[in-house]
Amino acid sequence: MEEDLENRGGACPQLLDLIPNESDWMMAPEASGGGRGVGGLDDSEDKKLELKLGLPGVGGGEEEAAAVLCLDFFSKASKTTTTTTCTGARRRLFESAESKSEGPQQEQQAGFLQLQSRAESGNEWPHKAVWAGGKADLQQSHAAPGGAAGPNTSSQTRAAPAPVVGWPPIRSFRKNLSSSSVKPSVGLENDNAEMKQKFDNNKKGLLVKINMDGIPIGRKVDLKAYDNYEKLSLAVKELFLGLLAAQRDTPENENEAAKQAFVGLLDGSGEYTLVYEDNEGDKMFVGDVPWDMFVSTVKRLRVLKSSDLAALRLGAVSRKRTATES
Amino acid sequence: MREERSDMSEDEDGGGGVEQKERWGPSHGGGGGGCGSAKSRGGVWTDPPPPFSDQVLENVLENVLQFLVCRRDRNAASLVCRSWYRAEAQTRGELFIGNCYAVSPRRATDRFRRVRSVVLKGKPRFADFSLVPLGWGAHFSPWASAMATAYPWLERICLKRMSIADYDLSLLAFSFPFFKDLTLICCDGFGTLGLAVIAEKCRHLRVLDLIEAYLEEEEEDEVVDWVSKFPQTTTSLETLGFDCVVSTVNFEALEALVARSPALRQLRVNHHVTVDQLFRLMVRAPQLTHLGTGSFGHPAALALQGDVMEHDADLVSAFAASKSIVSLSGFRDVASQYLPAIYPVCANLTTLNCSFAEITADELKPVIHHCHNLQKFWVLDTVRDEGLQAVAATCKDLRELRVFPLNATEDSEGFVSDVGLAAISQGCRRLRSILYFCQQMTNKAVITMSKNCQELVVFRLCIMGRHLPDHLTKEPMDEGFGAIVMNCKKLTRLAVSGLLTDKAFGYIGKYGKSIRTLSVAFAGDSDVGLRYVLEGCPKLQKLEIRDSPFGDPALLSGIHQYYNMRFLWMNSCKLSIRGCNDVAQRLPRLIVEVIRDRPEADDETVEKLYMYRSLAGPRNDAPPFVMIL
């Protein structure tokens, strides 16, 4: 659930980017609010922001509560079980609401997320996500509209500045501090877990796991980087040669001997053979079908010792072959 | 935090990397001046072997150069003549590469043949603050592959901000039979499987130190019990630090490991280790010098039970028995009733890191009162100015102070202020390094610090609200930072914040002659600000700027400087593609990376710029969102 949440959360905040590149560099402090100026962010945008943050179905009183939300999640009143972060707060905001099991809250929350996603133009990078974040957890603010801003009411009187990515400059590692649960950052670096997924499977790449007999650790290969089997075979060699050679323990020729292992990967004549598992779960020799068909059906790759092959999957292969032949 | 390792930060090193030695002289593509190597001639020398008498001289030289340790000295020595160059290359034992893209692995391993220790740094520092998209680069793989074959005797690897795969760790483990020391700082990409391979295969391992690493998320069934994989015999482990590992470790295995590691001096456990488990570990290892305490509390459920008092007594005795402890960290989930347990070691403490503990001034005071010898203190701002005053009163030998914010947001309630800063400056005259997060500051306090703390080498002040002026006078913070650069003659690293005009940069350019690292955010009025810095700071190595109104003319004003620097980072400024192209064309050995977050963004503006000198040419592993000009 957290992952889903992060995905959706990742898509959402883009909509709320309120610091355009060309913003005025307002050096003078704002007249009001003790100089908490945010360059280029005028009140009307703030208001727009506040309205947007009101959840669907939330009444007028809620707006104010929502508006008052600032990124101070560490309200002493709230004992959320989720960790709270700064730039990670936007995810937590959704997370804390969603993890509570109150129905209407969830619906509203889900509705909000959908609203965001629809409006989202498919941008993957919530980089400058800003909004007046949530003081106390959202749960509380719904439970007590208007007065729900939590103990720190002084912030109600000034416009909460829209938070900026990476500011203040604290490593995400440090942000998960709260009296209820203290953990080093569960998310990946830079709070960009959702981004990681996107870049892993980005529209330009196709990452497939590949394991090799005798090598304890698998790797991933981006199939979009190759356009034929020969290149793939070479890539496989590059991926595993180092470790295979290192494991072999023979000081001289270890590289040469290891390189030999990768000869004949595709035709069954070598020490190892490249096979793959397709989307139907069948194990196939690599090289049998046209490249494009291979790329569209492959789910994972394996480099098996040729001597082990006989026992394994001839059945599956011949089934497939008869299927295509008939 | 480890003393030596975390000092392997921007504070310590200068431009002494491999790339500097490869002669950034005028012959390397026109444009700006070289880096101080006036004798440079360009290119790597590969020659036929020298005649016999020269060979003798070279052998003698090699013997002498063994003693030369400092890499800047070595760089200088290598420039004397070819003979010295060869001799130095043969004798360099530690390879330091400040930017993994500045030189190719092959080139480095070709030149330096007998390296035992490698230090490699990857991503720019702003990657820590979500400003560098994931997948940007700094992959350890190519280096691992190159070193696996080139340096079979390799003993030590230290990586900072690199992406490392489990596979790479595996390769290390299998390739280096004498491997002793793995230190990973702010790295990511690997998981418990990689750790397991290291534990199992590196029989001579002395140091396994993970500092603020971001391990891959693993499902429960994917987590590997790596602690059990250490050899069952007596180990040579001296340092084991895994406080950043998110998953639980097998405690029985850990306890057994500690029991059979007589050389263990530094142990930092993660937050899953509770106080009573910690007690058991301490009993096994009374010889520890550095201890990371894990949670220092109980899981919430147990804390309610009445047997807490017994644990107190046990814990106190454990600390009393640990006479060698000089460094304490952890305190992840501290239950304040346990804090007094550390009193027995306070007088010996030189380092105390309680920056994950939300303690108040009243909770801190009795502890700090005993810490007369404290040199390094990291704390959360929950201790308030009052707590800092207590520190100032006792810790007269304090060298490094870091005050982190509990609420790292712009409009959070500020717990510390100019009052705390001034107090520290009054009490801790030997202060060398300070990192201070606050919500309000005055020029006066900063000026006071500049006068009181003449030893300052690192001054990093982060006023969390953007563009905030002096909260009393409402003036910009120019004078404060100006005083710092003017009065602190040893200053090499500076981070500025608050409302700053070009005047502040004028001061920096005029007085900051030793500054090597400068961090700027939301500051300045115009291009002039950046020009002051680029024209005025000859020692500048690392410049990172965000959200400041500096444009192409300012960028171009630094052409003479960029080959001398390790990198320049600018995001959300006023740069355009044209200006960046201009620089790229004029400085062929400078890699100019434009990083786009949004593919369909305006083509003209440059959201993020990362520029660095390199002998390796444009890298071939750049992801789609990076454009290399």
Side-chain angles (χ1 to χ4, degrees):
Chain A
M1 176 169 82
E2 194 168 316
E3 287 70 43
D4 279 351
L5 197 52
E6 285 166 359
N7 274 334
R8 280 179 294 171
C12 298
Q14 188 60 36
L15 184 65
L16 307 176
D17 182 351
L18 285 180
I19 300 189
N21 280 339
E22 305 79 35
S23 65
D24 297 327
W25 300 100
M26 288 166 46
M27 290 298 119
E30 282 182 58
S32 63
R36 303 276 174 169
V38 174
L41 189 62
D42 59 341
D43 276 346
S44 64
E45 281 190 81
D46 245 353
K47 292 258 182 315
K48 264 197 293 196
L49 172 62
E50 290 166 4
L51 289 175
K52 274 180 184 159
L53 257 197
L55 299 189
V58 166
E62 296 298 295
E63 267 178 39
E64 192 191 357
V68 163
L69 300 179
C70 64
L71 257 193
D72 183 3
F73 267 85
F74 310 109
S75 156
K76 295 169 185 56
S78 80
K79 281 287 184 186
T80 59
T81 54
T82 55
T83 57
T84 51
T85 67
C86 175
T87 57
R90 54 184 181 275
R91 287 208 302 279
R92 303 294 176 215
L93 172 61
F94 298 125
E95 187 185 345
S96 65
E98 191 143 317
S99 62
K100 309 290 193 261
S101 53
E102 283 185 26
Q105 304 265 337
Q106 271 188 330
E107 276 170 19
Q108 285 172 353
Q109 194 60 13
F112 175 43
L113 288 172
Q114 281 160 19
L115 181 69
Q116 295 288 54
S117 312
R118 274 201 301 274
E120 182 50 55
S121 58
N123 241 317
E124 298 177 347
W125 196 247
H127 194 66
K128 294 224 189 119
V130 294
W131 70 78
K135 160 109 53 192
D137 73 57
L138 204 56
Q139 183 85 356
Q140 285 195 350
S141 68
H142 288 308
N152 213 337
T153 53
S154 57
S155 54
Q156 284 185 355
T157 54
R158 59 168 187 260
V164 170
V165 172
W167 187 262
I170 293 280
R171 291 180 183 150
S172 55
F173 187 79
R174 283 199 169 276
K175 284 183 192 161
N176 295 341
L177 294 180
S178 95
S179 42
S180 50
S181 76
V182 175
K183 283 191 237 182
S185 172
V186 170
L188 299 173
E189 66 170 23
N190 312 332
D191 303 310
N192 284 332
E194 67 272 15
M195 280 308 103
K196 178 178 169 69
Q197 287 195 330
K198 292 192 165 77
F199 282 115
D200 265 354
N201 307 315
N202 70 37
K203 39 190 187 294
K204 299 193 176 63
L206 176 62
L207 282 176
V208 172
K209 283 193 188 173
I210 176 168
N211 286 78
M212 179 165 176
D213 272 353
I215 304 251
I217 310 245
R219 304 205 72 173
K220 287 189 184 162
V221 59
D222 179 2
L223 288 179
K224 291 274 162 104
Y226 313 103
D227 53 14
N228 64 44
Y229 288 112
E230 277 310 310
K231 289 188 185 166
L232 176 62
S233 176
L234 279 175
V236 169
K237 180 172 94 169
E238 268 177 41
L239 280 180
F240 289 108
L241 179 60
L243 194 48
L244 192 67
Q247 283 186 208
R248 283 197 172 185
D249 256 359
T250 51
E252 295 94 32
N253 339 358
E254 56 181 53
N255 252 344
E256 288 317 307
K259 278 182 190 162
Q260 271 307 107
F262 295 96
V263 169
L265 268 183
L266 298 172
D267 56 19
S269 64
E271 193 182 337
Y272 289 89
T273 303
L274 190 58
V275 304
Y276 73 101
E277 201 174 298
D278 70 3
N279 50 7
E280 292 170 7
D282 292 324
K283 294 187 172 47
M284 319 271 286
F285 283 120
V286 165
D288 280 351
V289 304
W291 175 260
D292 291 324
M293 194 188 305
F294 164 68
V295 169
S296 62
T297 56
V298 64
K299 284 293 161 239
R300 62 182 301 162
L301 286 161
R302 280 190 205 283
V303 184
L304 300 180
K305 273 200 108 65
S306 302
S307 49
D308 291 343
L309 273 178
L312 280 182
R313 342 129 341 18
L314 280 183
V317 171
S318 57
R319 257 207 321 280
K320 267 286 195 230
R321 284 203 165 132
T322 33
T324 53
E325 279 160 16
S326 62
Chain B
M1 67 195 161
R2 283 189 48 178
E3 274 74 288
E4 322 81 31
R5 304 299 188 213
S6 61
D7 282 350
M8 199 272 291
S9 68
E10 293 77 14
D11 315 343
E12 292 297 315
D13 50 277
V18 172
E19 64 270 19
Q20 175 136 8
K21 290 176 326 303
E22 304 289 271
R23 278 161 294 285
W24 291 94
S27 55
H28 271 284
C35 68
S37 42
K39 318 186 255 279
S40 66
R41 300 211 305 195
V44 175
W45 290 319
T46 49
D47 310 306
F52 179 69
S53 57
D54 283 353
Q55 181 115 47
V56 170
L57 191 59
E58 231 169 80
N59 289 343
V60 170
L61 195 54
E62 281 184 20
N63 280 309
V64 171
L65 287 179
Q66 308 271 15
F67 298 98
L68 211 58
V69 171
C70 164
R71 66 174 186 269
R72 267 176 249 162
D73 290 343
R74 284 193 153 267
N75 294 350
S78 72
L79 293 175
V80 168
C81 65
R82 288 174 199 214
S83 180
W84 282 55
Y85 176 92
R86 273 193 302 270
E88 194 283 314
Q90 289 298 319
T91 54
R92 187 176 291 230
E94 173 169 307
L95 187 57
F96 174 93
I97 298 183
N99 175 3
C100 63
Y101 287 122
V103 63
S104 71
R106 186 59 191 276
R107 185 167 182 153
T109 55
D110 278 351
R111 176 173 168 183
F112 301 104
R113 302 290 183 133
R114 303 208 196 133
V115 164
R116 302 270 166 132
S117 162
V118 172
V119 177
L120 197 53
K121 295 189 182 181
K123 296 174 206 157
R125 194 178 74 96
F126 274 10
D128 292 349
F129 316 126
S130 313
L131 290 172
V132 175
L134 275 173
W136 173 82
H139 302 289
F140 181 53
S141 290
W143 288 92
S145 306
M147 295 192 302
T149 42
Y151 299 143
W153 309 99
L154 195 68
E155 294 178 0
R156 176 184 167 232
I157 291 181
C158 178
L159 304 176
K160 187 168 185 180
R161 292 195 194 96
M162 304 271 309
S163 283
I164 310 165
D166 285 334
Y167 180 89
D168 301 328
L169 292 178
S170 211
L171 190 57
L172 291 189
F174 281 101
S175 306
F176 304 128
F178 302 100
F179 197 67
K180 295 196 173 77
D181 180 333
L182 182 65
T183 302
L184 303 178
I185 306 174
C186 299
C187 295
D188 67 299
F190 62 99
T192 51
L193 181 55
L195 293 180
V197 181
I198 294 279
E200 190 175 357
K201 294 290 174 204
C202 301
R203 316 295 287 188
H204 303 282
L205 197 67
R206 292 198 190 152
V207 173
L208 178 58
D209 203 357
L210 308 174
I211 301 172
E212 299 193 14
Y214 298 92
L215 270 69
E216 294 287 282
E217 279 185 18
E218 292 166 333
E219 303 293 324
E220 271 214 41
D221 55 350
E222 285 174 347
V223 173
V224 177
D225 181 4
W226 55 277
V227 174
S228 304
K229 301 284 190 280
F230 282 96
Q232 290 303 310
T233 57
T234 303
T235 76
S236 35
L237 263 187
E238 294 170 14
T239 297
L240 180 62
F242 62 94
D243 47 340
C244 55
V245 172
V246 177
S247 49
T248 44
V249 298
N250 176 341
F251 181 73
E252 281 67 36
L254 178 63
E255 192 179 4
L257 175 66
V258 169
R260 63 178 190 276
S261 302
L264 195 67
R265 293 287 177 277
Q266 306 195 23
L267 177 65
R268 295 190 338 267
V269 301
N270 68 11
H271 68 283
H272 291 290
V273 173
T274 62
V275 146
D276 37 2
Q277 288 177 330
L278 181 72
F279 165 71
R280 284 160 64 178
L281 293 175
M282 289 177 73
V283 164
R284 301 282 190 183
Q287 76 281 8
L288 285 179
T289 56
H290 295 61
L291 177 64
T293 66
S295 70
F296 219 60
H298 278 295
L302 290 183
L304 301 169
Q305 295 170 16
D307 54 353
V308 163
M309 280 314 291
E310 288 170 26
H311 290 292
D312 270 358
D314 283 343
L315 206 54
V316 172
S317 67
F319 275 99
S322 302
K323 303 200 183 301
S324 315
I325 290 187
V326 294
S327 164
L328 276 184
S329 60
F331 305 106
R332 291 277 171 156
D333 215 338
V334 66
S336 55
Q337 74 257 38
Y338 292 127
L339 271 183
I342 71 172
Y343 290 169
V345 299
C346 284
N348 293 333
L349 280 186
T350 53
T351 298
L352 177 58
N353 177 1
C354 45
S355 61
F356 290 96
E358 288 175 50
I359 53 181
T360 63
D362 287 333
E363 287 164 339
L364 176 68
K365 281 188 200 171
V367 173
I368 210 74
H369 184 65
H370 293 89
C371 301
H372 307 281
N373 289 314
L374 208 58
Q375 294 181 9
K376 196 178 209 177
F377 185 50
W378 292 17
V379 71
L380 271 189
D381 63 356
T382 51
V383 299
R384 297 183 180 263
D385 289 328
E386 197 189 333
L388 295 179
Q389 283 162 336
V391 173
T394 312
C395 307
K396 297 303 179 188
D397 205 20
L398 197 67
R399 313 283 169 94
E400 178 178 326
L401 174 69
R402 295 198 191 184
V403 181
F404 293 98
L406 176 65
N407 303 335
T409 62
E410 289 184 66
D411 61 340
S412 59
E413 186 191 340
F415 292 126
V416 298
S417 70
D418 50 293
V419 171
L421 191 74
I424 291 288
S425 75
Q426 304 281 13
C428 309
R429 298 295 173 111
R430 294 194 202 134
L431 199 65
R432 289 188 198 158
S433 169
I434 182 163
L435 171 61
Y436 197 86
F437 284 86
C438 61
Q439 287 290 14
Q440 45 189 31
M441 186 50 58
T442 59
N443 281 309
K444 184 170 177 207
V446 180
I447 294 171
T448 303
M449 175 158 272
S450 76
K451 292 186 180 156
N452 288 343
C453 301
Q454 291 289 302
E455 300 296 314
L456 271 179
V457 173
V458 173
F459 184 79
R460 299 158 69 190
L461 175 62
C462 181
I463 303 169
M464 292 194 281
R466 285 168 282 158
H467 312 302
L468 280 186
D470 179 321
H471 80 98
L472 291 178
T473 67
K474 303 301 181 200
E475 285 174 2
M477 292 299 298
D478 298 340
E479 297 307 314
F481 286 104
I484 290 284
V485 289
M486 214 183 323
N487 297 333
C488 302
K489 309 278 191 292
K490 303 185 184 177
L491 198 75
T492 59
R493 181 171 181 187
L494 179 66
V496 301
S497 62
L499 180 65
L500 292 170
T501 70
D502 288 340
K503 199 169 174 202
F505 296 100
Y507 287 136
I508 295 174
K510 186 169 177 194
Y511 297 107
K513 296 306 177 188
S514 310
I515 289 184
R516 295 204 288 258
T517 305
L518 179 63
S519 306
V520 177
F522 304 99
D525 303 318
S526 71
D527 287 336
V528 167
L530 182 54
R531 284 188 70 156
Y532 281 143
V533 170
L534 290 170
E535 288 169 2
C537 301
K539 294 267 171 73
L540 199 59
Q541 291 289 301
K542 294 178 262 193
L543 181 54
E544 44 192 30
I545 303 175
R546 65 168 294 174
D547 295 279
S548 301
F550 305 134
D552 296 342
L555 189 70
L556 289 163
S557 72
I559 295 263
H560 65 286
Q561 186 74 326
Y562 297 135
Y563 276 163
N564 297 339
M565 291 170 58
R566 186 179 298 171
F567 72 80
L568 167 66
W569 168 281
M570 289 176 71
N571 76 276
S572 314
C573 299
K574 291 193 158 178
L575 300 173
S576 80
I577 287 280
R578 200 171 312 131
C580 298
N581 258 320
D582 219 338
V583 174
Q585 270 159 22
R586 291 212 229 165
L587 298 175
R589 295 278 189 155
L590 198 69
I591 308 296
V592 180
E593 293 194 11
V594 171
I595 300 169
R596 312 218 107 102
D597 293 333
R598 293 167 291 181
E600 69 273 10
D602 178 9
D603 264 340
E604 270 308 302
T605 55
V606 166
E607 288 172 36
K608 296 177 183 175
L609 170 71
Y610 182 51
M611 297 190 335
Y612 50 91
R613 62 188 176 185
S614 173
L615 292 171
R619 58 192 177 107
N620 56 10
D621 63 355
F625 52 83
V626 169
M627 178 169 50
I628 299 184
L629 299 180

